[in-house]
């Protein structure tokens, strides 16, 4: 479809942190820095790890906890170094079919919510079953990139 993609993601490890009781924007900021410190060597092996994209944020309806995650690079998937910050953890996300909608520009929490609503409406109209109680935001660019930015919202297929 021109307004979304259906992708199949394989099982993979992500490094994550949960930020509670903040705005989404502040949770993203705090979560990003916790994870950035991890890839800069705040882990058991004191190993620097390449930054990967996307940076995801799990949004659950009616919930003020935000789970921010970095994809663990392929060369570390088998045994990622363990975080030394107790708020940071390695998680394995199971293989899944995901509906993704892409958009450009600087993404705000409001813009992510708006794009998620558009995607949800399209999926409902096309009779596509999906998990409606949560979605992920996915950002692919450094804050310093000004043009041709790439952002996504993801719903998991039922």
């Amino acid at each position: 479809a021109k307004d979304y993609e259906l992708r199949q993601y394989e099982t993979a490890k992500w490094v994550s942190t949960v930020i509670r009781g903040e705005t989404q924007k502040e949770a993203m900021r705090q979560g990003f820095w916790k994870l950035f410190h991890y890839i800069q060597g705040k882990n058991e092996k004191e190993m620097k790890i390449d930054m990967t994209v996307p940076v995801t944020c799990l949004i659950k309806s009616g919930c003020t906890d935000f789970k921010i995650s970095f994809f663990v690079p392929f060369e570390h998937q088998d045994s990622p170094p363990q975080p030394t910050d107790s708020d940071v953890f390695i998680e394995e996300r199971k293989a899944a079919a995901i509906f993704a909608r892409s958009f450009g520009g600087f993404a705000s929490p409001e813009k992510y919510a708006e794009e998620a609503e558009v995607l949800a409406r399209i999926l409902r109209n096309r009779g596509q079953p999906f998990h409606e109680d949560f979605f992920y935001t996915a950002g692919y660019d450094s804050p310093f990139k000004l043009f041709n930015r790439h952002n996504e919202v993801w719903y998991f297929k039922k």
Side-chain angles (χ1 to χ4, degrees), residues 92-105:
E92 184 170 271
R93 293 188 193 167
K94 299 291 177 222
I98 293 175
F99 294 108
R101 178 174 169 81
S102 301
F103 60 98

Side-chain angles (χ1 to χ4, degrees), residues 1 3 5 8 20 23 29 35 38 44 48 52 56 60 65 68 70 85 94-95 117 123 135 143 153-156:
D3 35 19
E5 291 174 59
Q8 182 63 43
R20 294 182 172 82
T23 64
R29 190 189 69 75
L35 299 174
Y38 167 81
E44 283 183 350
K48 279 192 185 250
T52 59
T56 65
K60 294 182 193 170
D65 292 358
I68 295 88
F70 288 2
D85 179 340
K94 299 291 177 222
E117 188 44 53
L123 295 174
F135 67 91
V153 288
W154 297 349
Y155 275 112
F156 281 54

Side-chain angles (χ1 to χ4, degrees), residues 8 19 28 30 34 42 57 68 70 80 82 86 89-90 105 111-112 117 142-143 147 150-151 156-157:
Q8 182 63 43
I19 306 293
M28 281 294 294
Q30 287 182 24
K34 281 185 177 290
K42 195 173 179 185
C57 180
I68 295 88
F70 288 2
Q82 286 303 307
S86 60
F89 57 95
I90 304 294
K111 181 67 174 160
Y112 277 126
E117 188 44 53
S142 130
F147 303 103
H150 183 85
N151 314 288
F156 281 54
K157 183 176 174 146

Side-chain angles (χ1 to χ4, degrees), residues 21-153:
E22 297 288 351
T23 64
Q24 183 180 338
K25 189 171 185 167
E26 179 59 18
M28 281 294 294
R29 190 189 69 75
Q30 287 182 24
F32 177 90
W33 286 110
K34 281 185 177 290
L35 299 174
F36 188 76
H37 292 311
Y38 167 81
I39 67 172
Q40 286 297 299
K42 195 173 179 185
N43 56 63
E44 283 183 350
K45 295 180 182 167
E46 295 183 356
M47 179 189 292
K48 279 192 185 250
I49 300 168
D50 290 336
M51 176 80 202
T52 59
V53 291
V55 175
T56 65
C57 180
L58 173 61
I59 311 287
K60 294 182 193 170
S61 44
C63 183
T64 58
D65 292 358
F66 299 98
K67 182 170 65 177
I68 295 88
S69 307
F70 288 2
F71 180 76
V72 172
F74 292 109
E75 63 267 26
H76 299 294
Q77 279 286 319
D78 289 339
S79 62
Q82 286 303 307
T84 52
D85 179 340
S86 60
D87 292 339
V88 176
F89 57 95
I90 304 294
E91 66 169 328
E92 184 170 271
R93 293 188 193 167
K94 299 291 177 222
I98 293 175
F99 294 108
R101 178 174 169 81
S102 301
F103 60 98
F106 279 90
S108 63
E110 296 75 23
K111 181 67 174 160
Y112 277 126
E114 182 184 308
E115 292 292 337
E117 188 44 53
V118 169
L119 178 55
R121 191 165 50 244
I122 291 166
L123 295 174
R124 282 186 211 107
N125 289 344
R126 301 207 177 135
Q128 291 281 10
F130 65 101
H131 294 276
E132 297 194 37
D133 52 333
F134 70 93
F135 67 91
Y136 280 90
T137 68
Y140 287 82
D141 302 302
S142 130
F144 307 109
K145 183 174 181 182
L146 301 180
F147 303 103
N148 300 316
R149 295 179 63 80
H150 183 85
N151 314 288
E152 295 176 347
V153 288

